[in-house]
Amino acid sequence: MLKVSKFGGSSLATLERLNNVLRIVKEDKRRKIVVVSAPGKGFCSEEKTTDFLRKVFKINDEKEKEQSLNFLARKFAEYSEDESIFAIAYNAFLACVNNEQAFISRGEYLTALVVAKKLGFVFKDALELIFFDGNGEVDRTKCRAAAEKTDIGDGVVVPGFYGADEQGKVRLFPRGGGDITGAVLSEAFGVAMYENFTDEEGVLSADPRIFAKAKTVKKLNYREIETLSRFGAKVVCPSVAKYLVGKDIPLVVRSSFSPSSRFTLVSEAACGGKDKPKAVAGKFALKISVKLKIGGLSNIFIALSKLFTFLGDPLALYLSTNDLVFYIDEDNSKIPEAIQALRSSSDFFITAEDGFFVLSLVGSFSQTFARQISYRLNSSGIKVYCVLPYSDKLIYIVKKSHSAKAIINLANFINEADRG
Amino acid sequence: MLKVSKFGGSSLATLERLNNVLRIVKEDKRRKIVVVSAPGKGFCSEEKTTDFLRKVFKINDEKEKEQSLNFLARKFAEYSEDESIFAIAYNAFLACVNNEQAFISRGEYLTALVVAKKLGFVFKDALELIFFDGNGEVDRTKCRAAAEKTDIGDGVVVPGFYGADEQGKVRLFPRGGGDITGAVLSEAFGVAMYENFTDEEGVLSADPRIFAKAKTVKKLNYREIETLSRFGAKVVCPSVAKYLVGKDIPLVVRSSFSPSSRFTLVSEAACGGKDKPKAVAGKFALKISVKLKIGGLSNIFIALSKLFTFLGDPLALYLSTNDLVFYIDEDNSKIPEAIQALRSSSDFFITAEDGFFVLSLVGSFSQTFARQISYRLNSSGIKVYCVLPYSDKLIYIVKKSHSAKAIINLANFINEADRG
């Protein structure tokens, strides 16, 4: 029985926290595949190490750069409590000063090196286990083949956040990609569980910065965690679930600070009762309205396929006869280019409007229950523009300025339902 | 200045009504392109002539068939008040006894012949003016070329409902296709107006069988009439608008029984004021829920394109992360096959549920106004499951048993807004 145990940056930000992580790994013999992020805020600056490295890479002044590398190598030496790490770290940075992705990935690389040494595990570079294909997608077959040839022995530590492109060079995952490393390895090694250690006690019912009484959701299924993650819940990367669903590998999301207490179990089976709200998350969004000069919607699906491959999935979309509306994260940097492309067609008129908050309440909802919740929101004076009801989630589109009010209203409702 | 004037079956069902049509055409010198349907109910039976012809075609008994052809030819002779039509009609039917589409089209064919003769116009067969391409789509370029070569002279009468396939054989439009014939000819001849004569005084604000106080909508744009038509309003074929929109040919929908009174003008420009409901229509629908095992919605648009090319456009569709719901006319005969095809994929789970009514309220709607209307519906005890708001239409999905209640509520609202 093997587990992949992934530790996020905040769990590794200081020497004290690192020691805590070592304790957690040693506690359970099954924790033989350890994935680490680069240390979070507080390690070398008030920024996350990865963000700090991005800046250092861009330094042009030779002397200033050398000082920075020196500073970083020193931090890793202190972190490892092993002076020999200084030279290893310095040289690791120096070897990558001309390759931004590789340079940035040295945070994870060195952290894995340190953790492996302290645990007495084998350091295993992600370049030997995580592979991308020519389209920048994870080559899962190749990852599986590499896993099969890997002797785990007493345990391995793998740096998160990157893998090898077709030329064997470092390619980074998107931000938060350490979660994906853990998921890919979980699938590749066919482990019994993927443990994701973070700074929260699992997945919370709502954003704790907005709703202090948010509680740990005990069970979620893959679809639910994908939705919450997609709607901005600070949990795991949205794409994690797709690596786990095929082999039904349970994902446990828990805190490294209080590892034995509350946690969230994500699996295929996990399911709440009838008419039960479980968690809520939301994102600020731009509304894009597309008016077809005249109908024939079936013709536009091909165009939509192209659009969303470029832009990323919309938070919500609806259409009828000759009208289409979709909501997209307002911080999506590709929006202007996408609108430009849409405007170039004379078949439709496009308008974009900001000021919306799209939220998703996951759980299970009969049609009557869904109507009750909508009624509750409306009665609280929250401007609900649109409700898209599904049996296991309700999507509400509300006025941006009502976002916190809506989250608090629904989070309170979740707590009430939990007691009731 | 030319007009295409199309007369529907009920406007031509009896000799008296035929004479009324002749009067209407003669009233306006611009009515030089006349399109006719086959006579409606009351001409040869309690069925529409087209439906009657479908049955006659299927008669196997030689003698019975001959009697039926005799009966039909006699009806057309009486209708034309010209005994020579008997032989022409009989032979026209006889020539098509082995070609169902051609046989069925003889209703329009003979009606056009009679009307042309009575008007002193030239009969022009649709086979010479309306052409389909290999995919069964109207070949608009070919239609335009044929129109350019046509000398209209004092006037022409064209049978509606059919055209020529690539082999020059009769191919029928879908039911109600006489409207399309008129629209195709309007575009091909580049006329100044397309007049569609029916048995209602234009487009009504609601189905008069449900709401007796329904009123004529004075102005609509192409998108609005397309939507109303698509949602079952008994007006013109949904696809009519696409032929008119490019050249901005105004469409006038009016009654042949009281042609000078109320009518609806459909054009590009036509637009109501701010926050104004204009008309409502709705259809009973099946709800199809598609749950993706895991997300990546952009991958499913290609599948949706295929699905709706086969099934026809949905009345409404919405999606978010890993969920998709669409509503389709419950009388769509292709639904079982489509669901079967969807079920064959292991990427998603499909459920189908009946008992819904999808209605569309067209007009202009600010977000606040839209919320007021939804509130009004909810307060009247109508179970609204979902609202899809657009700036020029609101789609409501309600419980099937609340359909009439919802239509009446909204139709009353339209009347109130009209007075207010």
Side-chain angles (χ1 to χ4, degrees):
Chain A
M1 262 267 292
L2 282 178
K3 286 181 176 182
V4 164
S5 306
K6 188 260 168 180
F7 296 90
S10 62
S11 301
L12 290 156
T14 62
L15 179 54
E16 190 193 343
R17 291 186 182 181
L18 166 60
N19 286 328
N20 179 46
V21 164
L22 302 177
R23 217 167 19 244
I24 292 170
V25 174
K26 286 175 191 160
E27 238 169 50
D28 185 339
K29 288 281 171 221
R30 295 168 298 179
R31 290 178 178 140
K32 283 194 173 174
I33 303 170
V34 176
V35 177
V36 294
S37 295
K41 293 172 189 171
F43 174 74
C44 57
S45 77
E46 282 316 299
E47 290 176 299
K48 290 181 180 176
T49 304
T50 305
D51 293 324
F52 189 78
L53 291 178
R54 280 183 208 279
K55 284 192 183 158
V56 172
F57 181 81
K58 291 199 168 66
I59 294 173
N60 285 321
D61 184 88
E62 287 265 329
K63 199 164 168 208
E64 192 189 340
K65 193 152 203 161
E66 211 223 273
Q67 279 174 352
S68 296
L69 299 191
N70 218 54
F71 169 76
L72 280 163
R74 172 64 41 220
K75 285 290 169 193
F76 274 102
E78 289 168 9
Y79 189 59
S80 64
E81 301 172 290
D82 177 353
E83 193 51 31
S84 73
I85 290 291
F86 178 84
I88 291 170
Y90 189 89
N91 289 326
F93 286 118
L94 207 61
C96 303
V97 283
N98 294 317
N99 180 338
E100 187 173 10
Q101 302 220 1
F103 188 85
I104 291 166
S105 74
R106 293 307 89 180
E108 279 75 11
Y109 174 87
L110 291 168
T111 307
L113 219 57
V114 170
V115 172
K117 202 156 184 185
K118 294 210 170 207
L119 283 172
F121 281 16
V122 172
F123 167 81
K124 191 87 189 164
D125 196 356
L127 292 178
E128 296 165 46
L129 284 171
I130 306 283
F131 301 96
F132 292 96
D133 66 18
N135 300 317
E137 300 290 328
V138 173
D139 185 336
R140 293 155 79 171
T141 314
K142 210 167 163 186
C143 295
R144 253 193 307 268
E148 272 164 28
K149 281 186 286 183
T150 301
D151 178 16
I152 289 168
D154 288 336
V156 295
V157 182
V158 185
F161 191 41
Y162 70 96
D165 67 13
E166 282 185 310
Q167 283 74 47
K169 287 190 177 158
V170 168
R171 184 189 168 98
L172 301 179
F173 280 111
R175 189 174 281 264
D179 290 338
I180 309 179
T181 303
V184 172
L185 294 181
S186 295
E187 185 191 35
F189 284 99
V191 299
M193 182 175 284
Y194 174 25
E195 291 180 309
N196 193 294
F197 288 90
T198 167
D199 51 358
E200 295 286 1
E201 294 184 321
V203 179
L204 299 183
S205 57
D207 187 335
R209 293 166 302 182
I210 298 171
F211 185 72
K213 290 177 285 174
K215 289 180 179 168
T216 299
V217 184
K218 287 184 186 132
K219 286 181 177 190
L220 287 170
N221 63 34
Y222 298 119
R223 283 168 44 84
E224 288 167 337
I225 200 158
E226 180 181 41
T227 298
L228 290 171
S229 171
R230 186 69 191 79
F231 276 79
K234 296 279 170 300
V235 276
V236 290
C237 246
S239 56
V240 157
K242 78 172 175 195
Y243 298 100
L244 308 177
V245 70
K247 291 188 178 166
D248 195 6
I249 299 166
L251 163 67
V252 170
V253 184
R254 65 199 332 169
S255 165
S256 63
F257 305 125
S258 51
S260 61
S261 67
R262 287 181 284 273
F263 59 85
T264 302
L265 172 67
V266 183
S267 69
E268 182 84 58
C271 198
K274 194 182 164 282
D275 280 352
K276 189 174 165 57
K278 290 162 91 173
V280 64
K283 276 199 168 176
F284 294 123
L286 211 67
K287 174 185 181 177
I288 314 278
S289 300
V290 181
K291 293 198 170 295
L292 275 73
K293 241 179 154 174
I294 215 69
L297 277 172
S298 52
N299 300 327
I300 72 159
F301 285 105
I302 302 286
L304 290 180
S305 169
K306 277 185 212 153
L307 173 67
F308 295 121
T309 300
F310 170 72
L311 197 56
D313 282 358
L315 292 165
L317 175 150
Y318 58 86
L319 57 86
S320 324
T321 55
N322 40 34
D323 259 309
L324 165 76
V325 166
F326 64 89
Y327 291 85
I328 194 110
D329 315 18
E330 64 171 19
D331 55 2
N332 185 321
S333 61
K334 291 175 175 172
I335 292 172
E337 197 180 331
I339 291 180
Q340 195 68 24
L342 287 170
R343 287 223 166 104
S344 71
S345 165
S346 62
D347 293 339
F348 32 76
F349 315 103
I350 311 290
T351 49
E353 193 183 347
D354 63 4
F356 297 92
F357 184 65
V358 184
L359 60 86
S360 176
L361 178 68
V362 308
S364 56
F365 309 96
S366 67
Q367 285 171 345
T368 307
F369 190 53
R371 292 183 64 240
Q372 283 167 9
I373 301 172
S374 305
Y375 184 79
R376 183 190 155 105
L377 278 177
N378 276 310
S379 309
S380 312
I382 292 159
K383 280 202 178 163
V384 179
Y385 293 124
C386 180
V387 187
L388 304 179
Y390 305 95
S391 62
D392 56 3
K393 63 168 144 305
L394 302 177
I395 306 293
Y396 289 101
I397 295 153
V398 306
K399 200 176 169 162
K400 189 174 184 174
S401 58
H402 290 182
S403 61
K405 207 171 161 186
I407 289 283
I408 292 166
N409 187 298
L410 291 172
N412 265 318
F413 182 60
I414 293 166
N415 282 358
E416 287 162 28
D418 223 31
R419 280 195 296 273
Chain B
M1 261 267 291
L2 282 178
K3 286 180 176 183
V4 164
S5 306
K6 188 260 169 180
F7 296 90
S10 62
S11 301
L12 290 156
T14 62
L15 179 55
E16 190 193 342
R17 291 187 183 180
L18 166 60
N19 286 328
N20 179 47
V21 165
L22 302 177
R23 217 169 16 246
I24 292 170
V25 175
K26 287 175 191 160
E27 239 170 51
D28 185 339
K29 288 282 171 222
R30 295 168 298 179
R31 291 179 178 140
K32 283 193 172 175
I33 303 171
V34 176
V35 177
V36 294
S37 295
K41 293 172 189 172
F43 174 73
C44 57
S45 77
E46 282 316 299
E47 290 176 300
K48 290 182 180 175
T49 304
T50 305
D51 293 324
F52 189 79
L53 292 178
R54 280 182 208 278
K55 284 192 183 158
V56 171
F57 181 81
K58 290 198 168 67
I59 294 173
N60 285 320
D61 185 88
E62 287 266 329
K63 199 164 168 209
E64 192 188 340
K65 193 152 202 163
E66 211 223 272
Q67 278 174 353
S68 296
L69 299 191
N70 217 55
F71 169 76
L72 280 163
R74 172 64 40 219
K75 284 291 169 192
F76 275 102
E78 288 167 10
Y79 189 59
S80 64
E81 301 172 290
D82 177 352
E83 193 51 32
S84 73
I85 289 292
F86 178 84
I88 291 171
Y90 190 89
N91 289 326
F93 286 118
L94 207 61
C96 303
V97 283
N98 294 317
N99 180 338
E100 187 172 11
Q101 303 221 1
F103 188 85
I104 291 166
S105 74
R106 293 307 90 180
E108 280 75 10
Y109 174 87
L110 291 167
T111 308
L113 218 58
V114 170
V115 172
K117 202 156 185 185
K118 294 210 171 208
L119 283 172
F121 281 15
V122 171
F123 167 81
K124 191 86 189 165
D125 196 356
L127 292 177
E128 296 165 46
L129 284 171
I130 306 283
F131 301 96
F132 292 96
D133 65 18
N135 300 318
E137 300 290 328
V138 172
D139 185 336
R140 293 154 79 170
T141 314
K142 210 168 163 186
C143 295
R144 253 193 308 269
E148 272 164 28
K149 282 185 286 182
T150 302
D151 178 16
I152 289 168
D154 288 336
V156 295
V157 182
V158 184
F161 191 41
Y162 70 95
D165 67 14
E166 283 185 310
Q167 283 74 47
K169 287 191 176 157
V170 168
R171 184 188 168 100
L172 301 179
F173 280 111
R175 187 175 282 264
D179 290 338
I180 309 179
T181 304
V184 172
L185 294 181
S186 295
E187 185 192 36
F189 284 99
V191 299
M193 182 175 285
Y194 174 25
E195 291 179 308
N196 193 295
F197 288 90
T198 167
D199 50 358
E200 295 286 2
E201 294 183 320
V203 179
L204 299 184
S205 57
D207 187 335
R209 293 165 303 181
I210 298 171
F211 185 71
K213 290 177 285 175
K215 289 180 179 168
T216 299
V217 184
K218 286 184 187 131
K219 286 181 176 188
L220 287 169
N221 64 33
Y222 299 119
R223 283 168 43 83
E224 288 168 337
I225 199 158
E226 180 182 42
T227 298
L228 289 171
S229 171
R230 185 70 191 77
F231 276 79
K234 296 280 170 299
V235 276
V236 290
C237 244
S239 56
V240 158
K242 78 172 176 195
Y243 298 100
L244 308 176
V245 70
K247 291 189 176 164
D248 196 6
I249 299 166
L251 163 67
V252 170
V253 183
R254 65 199 332 170
S255 166
S256 63
F257 306 125
S258 51
S260 60
S261 67
R262 287 181 284 273
F263 60 85
T264 302
L265 172 67
V266 183
S267 70
E268 182 85 57
C271 199
K274 194 182 163 281
D275 281 351
K276 189 173 166 56
K278 290 163 92 174
V280 64
K283 276 198 169 177
F284 295 123
L286 211 68
K287 174 185 182 178
I288 314 278
S289 301
V290 180
K291 293 196 169 298
L292 275 73
K293 241 179 153 173
I294 215 69
L297 277 171
S298 52
N299 300 326
I300 72 160
F301 286 105
I302 303 285
L304 290 181
S305 169
K306 276 185 211 154
L307 173 67
F308 295 121
T309 300
F310 170 72
L311 198 55
D313 282 358
L315 291 164
L317 174 150
Y318 58 86
L319 56 87
S320 324
T321 54
N322 40 33
D323 260 308
L324 165 75
V325 166
F326 64 89
Y327 292 85
I328 195 108
D329 314 18
E330 63 171 20
D331 55 2
N332 185 320
S333 61
K334 291 175 175 172
I335 292 172
E337 198 181 330
I339 291 180
Q340 195 68 25
L342 287 171
R343 287 223 166 105
S344 71
S345 165
S346 62
D347 293 340
F348 31 76
F349 316 102
I350 311 291
T351 49
E353 193 183 347
D354 63 4
F356 297 92
F357 184 64
V358 184
L359 60 86
S360 176
L361 178 68
V362 308
S364 55
F365 309 96
S366 67
Q367 285 170 344
T368 308
F369 190 54
R371 292 183 63 241
Q372 282 167 9
I373 301 173
S374 305
Y375 184 78
R376 183 190 155 105
L377 278 177
N378 276 309
S379 309
S380 311
I382 292 159
K383 279 202 178 163
V384 179
Y385 293 123
C386 181
V387 187
L388 304 178
Y390 305 94
S391 62
D392 57 2
K393 63 168 146 300
L394 302 177
I395 306 293
Y396 289 101
I397 295 154
V398 306
K399 199 176 169 161
K400 190 174 185 174
S401 58
H402 291 182
S403 61
K405 207 171 162 185
I407 289 282
I408 291 167
N409 187 298
L410 292 172
N412 265 318
F413 183 60
I414 293 166
N415 282 359
E416 287 162 27
D418 222 31
R419 280 194 296 274

